[in-house]
Amino acid sequence: MQSTFTGVAGTYRFTLLAGAATFALAMPGAAFAQDVQDDEAPEASNVIIVTASKREQTLQETPISVSVTSGETLERAQIRDVLDLQTVVPSLRVSQLQTSSATTFIIRGFGNGDNNFGIEPSVGVFIDGVFRSRSASALSDLNMINRVEVLSGPQSTLFGKNASAGVISIITKEPQYEFGGQVEASYGNFNTLNLRGEVTGPIAENIAFSIDGTYQRRDGFGRIVNLDNADINDRNRWSARGSLLIEPTTDIKIRLIADYTKIDEVCCETGNLVVGGITQLAIGGVGGQFPTSLFAHDNFLNVVPNNRNKNYGFSGQVDWNLSSNLSLTSITAYRELRNGFSQDVDFTSADITVETRDQGINTFTQELRLASDFDGPINFLLGGYYFDESITEDNSLSLGRDFRNFAAIQAAPASLLPANPTAAQRIAVGNAVLRNAEAGLGLPLGSILGNTATGLAQSRFALDNTSWSIFGTVDFKPTDRLTLTAGFNYTDDKKNFEIDHRGLDPLANINLVDAFIAGATSGTVRTRAQFQALPAANQAALLAAAQNPAVNPLLGLRALQFQTSAPVVPNAVEPGRTADNKLTYLLRAAYEVTNEINVYVSYATGFKASSVNLSRDSRPLSSDYIPGPLGSTFAAPASPIINAGLATPNLTTGSRFAGPENAKVWEVGMKANWDGFGFNLALFDQSIRGFQSFLFTGLGFGLANAGEQSVRGFEFDARVQPVDALEFTFAATYLDPLYDDFTGGPLGDLSGRRPAGIPEWNLRTSATHTQEFGDSATLITRVDYSHSSKVQILDGIAGFNAALFNREVNLVNASTTLALSNGLEVGLFARNLLNAEYPLTIFPGVAQAGTVTGYPSPPRTWGGLVRFKF
């Protein structure tokens, strides 16, 4: 069926499946369910209070595309952390990749920042109003949750610089003046043990407290075969939180929260979709083993990867009713994150290299806002926000005992090998080549990729970020049913950063073209100045010979220069700072057609500040440096880096930072709610100019601004409750993304292509049946299904047609709980009931051209639980 919609957002052409009538089912997650903190709502109400606009409104009254998942749904669906949240919110995708803390949040296809602390997220995560600046600090278990709001599209007007793609807002339960709580224990396959509990009650007439905690332990989904089948992808984490509610007067409410989370896990398992020649020849040649399948859960590593994360902080929120129609809110927070890991990044049992990172983040935030609640036609919200953060990171790559022979196998020329050579013969010939090179270059014998004491590379990064903003909205109601809204946000963001990356292998610090020229001139040309002083004809002749493999045998070693150095930042050319400021705004009209139906149209802009490439792959911009042929410094033309004497051997260009993202979105929506039925619909045309693309290329990450990336689509969710005991939900997101202009990325010109990894369709549906047995017991059974349509995983992968690597997701989850009237509950649950297998993502084999590696999806998990509420 063809359906065409034309409006302020442009023209949409949506091809719907023949069975589209099933849209009469609804949104998973009880978006229409009662908010447990809304004391005004009757017990059977289907009204939920949300704060997506930083005011308390019903979901129907909120003219924003927002998906709401209640704490009750989280409990019934056994959703324990944000990774599982995507199974009930179709516009949200959450991926955990290299480590337990490398998580990316994506809304409507936009999102980044999972593996580089210098890259700010496009999706802002807020817990009780406090911004969690990196995904590693947003991995809290979902315990004692009131609701989770997922806001789609740019939300910069009210949420600031890190909401250019959307917002995830997690609201926990407030302490109560009536004593109560619950404890829960569950056990399942993989020896999974989950413990959680919460207790709340009064301390005094106007002071209440709550304490909650969780503990999760699980054996690994995979095993490291060569290390005595050690577990990998296990779970070992705990969290604790305490909260105080203080109400010294009827007009002042103070909430104080302190929390602590610790993760100590072995993560993450990988498998190979394609095993390339270098992996088979060089890794196998040194006795290494490697996965031959993505889903066998057999891993081969030379060390057990360890992930460590400590995340803790304190926040205080004060709500003060200054008068009957003015209220002041202050949220103050300080947080610290300590994150570290050691990982065998070649993902084989050969001792090649291990990456170690130690990262720290200290963050202080302060928000202040004044809101009105006048009876007249005009109301306003005005606020200010301050953000101060410091980041440090120490990073190293080891040089394993097998690296020398791994390199020797690749260095052995076919002309010197016998027919059908053995690995030992390749190693012997390759080592002879390396020794000859060491002698010719004046290096100690055995030093090329052989000095395990010094390592392969060492890096140190630091970043200080201060930002402030002023924001506000004004609502004007010319009639009782029409509301016109205008909003603004002015943000000023400044960053100062330091990058010190050093390649430690001696071969990486020698340019093989320049070394040949020095040798060919008997050492009379050893500097760029000496080379540039030669006649042009002599320069050309030397360069031609130096670039000819038949004349310059050193060129065969270029593939072994894995980690090269770069100038330390800041320096005389690169100041190591960014400064951004931006005014974003919102214009919206909302109309209450009837008491049950609301419609709205809006236009909003969004902003994300510059991101810094805090990685080994940070390199000068092409405007600051132009490398010579094959990285030659001698032949490099004049440039600021050259003129300042900062060039290092084999220096290339790239990026130190990516500039700001600027987003805009047109949105048309309808919200309707009746007894037993309700739906929400949003159609949107969204784009981000300067989208900060961060892509892995096999040896490093490239950070670049896409010229423009856009997406058109719609979001629909609905709820049907034909009888009190039965509720169906359905939600769908359709996305039609495009690289409108992307010419400067590491994969070449992608303009006009569909971005990879963004499914066209995301569907979520559920059925919940509640069977009451008089007043003594209730049986609650829930089944939910989530689907993401087939999609190409990567934009490109060297040596392959990227279209060959796809992902399609079909997940079924189920749970049943028997709740007795005395507070005791027992239940069974299963996630990924049909044991679906799919790659989470894929990437080129690290230093193994021709190999394609990926992260497998989690297998089926199941178990039983006992819960007691009091």
Side-chain angles (χ1 to χ4, degrees):
M1 177 178 71
Q2 274 299 100
S3 176
T4 302
F5 168 81
T6 304
V8 291
T11 300
Y12 295 81
R13 295 179 178 86
F14 302 133
T15 302
L16 304 183
L17 301 175
T22 57
F23 277 108
L25 300 176
M27 174 186 179
F32 303 86
Q34 174 192 357
D35 179 352
V36 296
Q37 282 190 359
D38 180 21
D39 297 330
E40 303 297 323
E43 198 165 305
S45 170
N46 63 353
V47 174
I48 184 168
I49 303 299
V50 299
T51 53
S53 60
K54 295 202 173 180
R55 293 176 179 272
E56 289 194 349
Q57 294 176 294
T58 67
L59 181 62
Q60 183 182 347
E61 293 171 336
T62 304
I64 299 172
S65 180
V66 54
S67 300
V68 184
T69 305
S70 69
E72 181 183 50
T73 296
L74 297 175
E75 184 176 275
R76 290 180 178 178
Q78 286 295 300
I79 295 173
R80 298 189 176 276
D81 55 38
V82 289
L83 290 173
D84 293 332
L85 189 62
Q86 61 190 319
T87 61
V88 293
V89 180
S91 290
L92 174 67
R93 180 166 174 252
V94 186
S95 60
Q96 176 185 310
L97 303 176
Q98 184 178 352
T99 70
S100 296
S101 57
T103 302
T104 301
F105 303 106
I106 299 169
I107 294 178
R108 291 181 179 172
F110 294 108
N112 53 20
D114 64 319
N115 204 31
N116 186 322
F117 273 17
I119 298 180
E120 302 201 9
S122 299
V123 175
V125 178
F126 293 78
I127 300 179
D128 289 319
V130 176
F131 176 51
R132 302 294 180 95
S133 66
R134 298 299 183 273
S135 61
S137 64
L139 297 175
S140 301
D141 294 339
L142 297 179
N143 193 44
M144 205 171 174
I145 299 299
N146 181 305
R147 65 187 181 275
V148 180
E149 302 174 7
V150 178
L151 288 62
S152 299
Q155 305 294 329
S156 296
T157 302
L158 292 179
F159 289 91
K161 63 173 182 149
N162 293 111
S164 59
V167 164
I168 300 171
S169 179
I170 300 172
I171 298 94
T172 64
K173 300 175 187 176
E174 285 188 353
Q176 301 295 304
Y177 287 102
E178 182 178 348
F179 182 77
Q182 67 177 43
V183 291
E184 177 187 314
S186 66
Y187 183 81
N189 60 333
F190 297 99
N191 283 321
T192 302
L193 175 64
N194 290 313
L195 304 175
R196 63 177 59 209
E198 60 187 69
V199 62
T200 185
I203 295 178
E205 184 180 2
N206 58 354
I207 302 176
F209 80 96
S210 66
I211 299 173
D212 68 276
T214 68
Y215 172 73
Q216 295 189 45
R217 190 206 68 202
R218 187 193 68 218
D219 292 345
F221 289 150
R223 54 193 170 274
I224 308 174
V225 177
N226 61 296
L227 296 180
D228 298 322
N229 288 317
D231 281 342
I232 188 170
N233 265 55
D234 68 353
R235 183 60 64 95
N236 182 22
R237 58 182 63 180
W238 63 270
S239 66
R241 178 173 53 215
S243 179
L244 284 177
L245 178 63
I246 305 171
E247 297 178 286
T249 74
T250 56
D251 292 323
I252 297 177
K253 181 172 74 172
I254 303 170
R255 189 178 179 193
L256 306 177
I257 303 173
D259 66 272
Y260 185 96
T261 299
K262 183 177 181 180
I263 298 174
D264 187 359
E265 296 176 351
V266 177
C267 191
C268 295
E269 70 169 325
T270 61
N272 288 329
L273 289 82
V274 179
V275 179
I278 291 180
T279 301
Q280 297 183 55
L281 187 66
I283 296 295
V286 298
Q289 298 171 279
F290 44 84
T292 56
S293 167
L294 181 60
F295 300 111
H297 300 288
D298 287 336
N299 294 259
F300 299 91
L301 305 169
N302 69 290
V303 296
V304 176
N306 179 251
N307 303 172
R308 308 169 309 280
N309 180 292
K310 294 179 181 180
N311 174 30
Y312 44 90
F314 170 85
S315 68
Q317 177 170 337
V318 179
D319 295 298
W320 183 10
N321 293 324
L322 301 176
S323 66
S324 60
N325 45 37
L326 284 177
S327 61
L328 183 69
T329 297
S330 170
I331 303 176
T332 307
Y334 177 78
R335 302 201 60 80
E336 293 190 4
L337 170 69
R338 299 295 178 262
N339 188 64
F341 69 82
S342 59
Q343 179 119 38
D344 181 354
V345 291
D346 59 89
F347 302 107
T348 73
S349 67
D351 187 4
I352 306 297
T353 186
V354 172
E355 180 180 10
T356 301
R357 290 190 200 179
D358 286 298
Q359 301 164 311
I361 301 182
N362 297 343
T363 308
F364 172 80
T365 58
Q366 173 65 56
E367 180 175 358
L368 193 67
R369 61 180 187 262
L370 179 69
S372 71
D373 187 18
F374 299 122
D375 293 332
I378 296 178
N379 275 288
F380 70 88
L381 183 149
L382 181 66
Y385 185 78
Y386 178 75
F387 174 88
D388 189 345
E389 181 170 80
S390 62
I391 299 174
T392 59
E393 177 179 333
D394 288 303
N395 188 311
S396 66
L397 286 173
S398 70
L399 198 59
R401 65 179 184 276
D402 292 328
F403 211 137
R404 170 80 174 198
N405 288 340
F406 169 74
I409 289 175
Q410 298 176 68
S415 59
L416 299 180
L417 292 171
N420 301 316
T422 64
Q425 290 171 323
R426 291 181 184 276
I427 290 172
V429 171
N431 268 305
V433 170
L434 294 178
R435 286 193 294 271
N436 287 338
E438 289 162 344
L441 295 170
L443 300 175
L445 291 181
S447 62
I448 294 179
L449 297 172
N451 192 340
T452 58
T454 59
L456 185 64
Q458 189 169 11
S459 310
R460 174 163 289 185
F461 311 115
L463 183 142
D464 291 320
N465 181 197
T466 58
S467 177
W468 60 268
S469 63
I470 300 173
F471 60 90
T473 60
V474 175
D475 294 332
F476 172 57
K477 297 190 69 170
T479 72
D480 288 343
R481 293 188 178 273
L482 177 63
T483 303
L484 303 177
T485 300
F488 78 96
N489 183 300
Y490 178 81
T491 296
D492 184 276
D493 183 88
K494 290 182 173 61
K495 295 183 176 71
N496 293 282
F497 58 91
E498 300 175 9
I499 299 173
D500 184 357
H501 168 67
R502 305 182 185 192
L504 302 178
D505 184 65
L507 182 65
N509 290 301
I510 296 174
N511 180 266
L512 301 177
V513 169
D514 294 348
F516 175 85
I517 292 173
T521 58
S522 301
T524 59
V525 177
R526 292 185 175 276
T527 66
R528 180 180 180 276
Q530 292 170 338
F531 179 78
Q532 294 290 326
L534 296 174
N538 291 7
Q539 292 183 31
L542 284 169
L543 278 176
Q547 295 177 77
N548 186 346
V551 179
N552 182 2
L554 294 174
L555 293 181
L557 303 180
R558 288 190 72 239
L560 304 182
Q561 295 178 310
F562 294 105
Q563 288 292 325
T564 60
S565 297
V568 175
V569 177
N571 56 53
V573 175
E574 302 169 292
R577 61 176 178 265
T578 66
D580 305 311
N581 58 78
K582 185 70 174 181
L583 176 68
T584 58
Y585 59 92
L586 162 72
L587 299 172
R588 182 172 60 223
Y591 186 72
E592 185 181 359
V593 180
T594 70
N595 291 338
E596 294 80 20
I597 301 174
N598 288 22
V599 295
Y600 68 91
V601 58
S602 66
Y603 177 78
T605 62
F607 166 71
K608 185 176 110 171
S610 297
S611 286
V612 180
N613 194 359
L614 296 184
S615 78
R616 295 183 297 272
D617 312 296
S618 175
R619 292 294 184 273
L621 297 171
S622 57
S623 58
D624 290 330
Y625 179 68
I626 304 172
L630 302 182
S632 168
T633 303
F634 289 0
S639 66
I641 291 287
I642 285 289
N643 297 343
L646 296 172
T648 55
N650 302 307
L651 182 62
T652 59
T653 59
S655 65
R656 297 297 193 183
F657 61 90
E661 292 181 355
N662 293 288
K664 61 182 180 181
V665 61
W666 280 101
E667 187 167 298
V668 178
M670 174 182 288
K671 301 194 175 193
N673 193 21
W674 297 272
D675 289 339
F677 174 66
F679 72 87
N680 301 317
L681 174 66
L683 301 101
F684 54 85
D685 184 352
Q686 180 176 336
S687 64
I688 294 183
R689 176 163 290 278
F691 178 75
Q692 296 168 0
S693 174
F694 188 57
L695 301 173
F696 183 66
T697 60
L699 284 176
F701 289 90
L703 174 64
N705 287 104
E708 184 171 358
Q709 181 177 337
S710 63
V711 63
R712 293 182 174 186
F714 70 80
E715 294 162 331
F716 176 87
D717 62 72
R719 173 190 60 89
V720 175
Q721 193 168 9
V723 295
D724 289 344
L726 185 62
E727 181 180 72
F728 298 100
T729 70
F730 180 85
T733 296
Y734 171 82
L735 300 174
D736 182 18
L738 182 70
Y739 282 129
D740 301 271
D741 175 23
F742 190 11
T743 58
L747 298 176
D749 188 356
L750 298 177
S751 301
R753 291 176 51 178
R754 180 187 179 98
I758 305 175
E760 184 176 27
W761 287 98
N762 286 284
L763 308 177
R764 307 290 187 265
T765 187
S766 73
T768 303
H769 181 262
T770 303
Q771 178 66 54
E772 295 185 354
F773 300 96
D775 295 330
S776 60
T778 303
L779 181 66
I780 304 168
T781 302
R782 175 188 168 92
V783 178
D784 63 71
Y785 167 71
S786 62
H787 166 75
S788 295
S789 59
K790 188 175 182 180
V791 65
Q792 180 177 316
I793 300 175
L794 293 183
D795 286 313
I797 186 166
F800 294 94
N801 178 2
L804 298 175
F805 303 101
N806 301 286
R807 175 183 61 239
E808 181 177 348
V809 180
N810 292 282
L811 292 176
V812 177
N813 306 309
S815 64
T816 184
T817 302
L818 179 65
L820 304 180
S821 58
N822 62 2
L824 180 65
E825 300 181 4
V826 293
L828 300 172
F829 62 88
R831 298 193 63 79
N832 190 9
L833 183 62
L834 303 183
N835 203 29
E837 295 181 333
Y838 53 92
L840 298 176
T841 194
I842 62 173
F843 56 92
V846 179
Q848 300 166 64
T851 291
V852 180
T853 304
Y855 296 100
S857 57
R860 174 174 49 230
T861 57
W862 50 266
L865 66 87
V866 177
R867 182 186 300 124
F868 181 67
K869 296 182 177 181
F870 55 92

